[in-house]
Amino acid sequence: MKFLFPGSSLGVIGGGQLGRMFTQRANEMGYNVCCYTPEKNSPCEKTGANCIIGEFDDLHKLEGFLKKISALTFEFENIPSVTLDFLDSFQDRINIFPNTNSIRIAQNRFKEKSFFQKLGLNTVQFSKIDDNSDLKLLETFPFPAILKTNQFGYDGKGQFGVNSFQHLQTIISELQVVDHILEEKINFDFEISVICARFSSGSIFNYLPSKNVHKNSILDYTIHPANLETHLKKISIEYAQTLINELDYVGVLGLEMFVRGDKIICNEFAPRPHNSGHFTMNSCRYSQFDLQLMSLTNLYPETLSLQTLESVMKNIIGEQSEPNEAILQEMLSDSRYYFHSYQKEESRKGRKMGHINFLGKWEDSLFSSF
């Protein structure tokens, strides 16, 4: 793997907020960033990245982009297979981290949960449903359940609640294209995530588990660290480390899990920095974007202190009620709050427009007033 020193050109597939925050950190460290995205005036472009605008399956434009960079990383995983195949042909010329196999697994819910099971990581019961499936075999499936598109779903998109086998038959009959996964719906105590990074040497560094709270199927806020029993903390970290090792992964990964009594259940992983890891930007020496940069360039210290201060990350979601002027003024005058805007062109319902980090406990913040 190449060592890439400041002045090198680093590439990002995608131009959204994760690419933006990576670009900000890379620029601060003296690197040039080039993003490939179909979006004009993207958050990446607005923070100084050189953006090549093109569709992901435009391999001619993609080749021109790849020839401009020395390393490539990703800010999202919903990438066409033809693009991933094309990227594989450049592996001997540039650093591509994480590997495309990790992207392929993460973007396919059935492959993802099957991989978890292969590694001995707990999951809910699940079954793939496609045009060749015999639905009668699912009569004994534990309902209620959730029917999800097998690929290209996020933030609650492409999901259907299923109350019974008869309800499942009705939903399937109304879908024109069938490539879904049926997942058991469980009552869990709360959700957690572990953000970790693996380097080319095989060294792994992780933050402690965080607690995630969702609203309308979108992450609302993250509390770090999660209040977990010691043995559950140990299991969740072991799960994340097992996953990142078995993927032969280089880069930052976020693993979402459910806590149910004395059990940890894997939900899904993100092959990139994760929304629940944004607290790291203001509460510790090295953020998740620092780790992404260091793993991509192969420049990192032998030891990394990832100890963090207590903190809360609150998402700013489009068309949610905004805090009143007095609350905003109080936050702006308080040095414990840090505002991060993504500079997106349009505010839409359910769209992440930015986030606020607070150094301290949830109960000491003003977030409950949102």
Side-chain angles (χ1 to χ4, degrees), residues 111-157:
K111 287 183 179 179
E112 180 181 48
K113 282 193 163 51
S114 298
F115 193 72
F116 288 158
Q117 286 197 338
K118 177 184 174 183
L119 301 183
L121 312 183
N122 291 326
T123 69
V124 297
Q125 188 170 328
F126 64 95
S127 179
K128 185 178 181 182
I129 298 179
D130 57 27
D131 291 323
N132 299 316
S133 297
D134 184 354
L135 291 184
K136 290 183 179 180
L137 298 176
L138 295 174
E139 286 187 282
T140 59
F141 194 88
F143 294 95
I146 305 173
L147 184 68
K148 301 179 180 180
T149 53
N150 202 29
Q151 290 186 278
F152 307 121
Y154 62 97
D155 287 344
K157 296 176 175 64

Side-chain angles (χ1 to χ4, degrees), residues 190-191 211-215 218-223 315:
F190 53 91
E191 182 190 283
K211 178 181 178 180
N212 301 323
V213 178
H214 288 73
K215 184 177 181 180
I218 301 173
L219 181 62
D220 186 21
Y221 61 88
T222 294
I223 296 174
N315 273 330

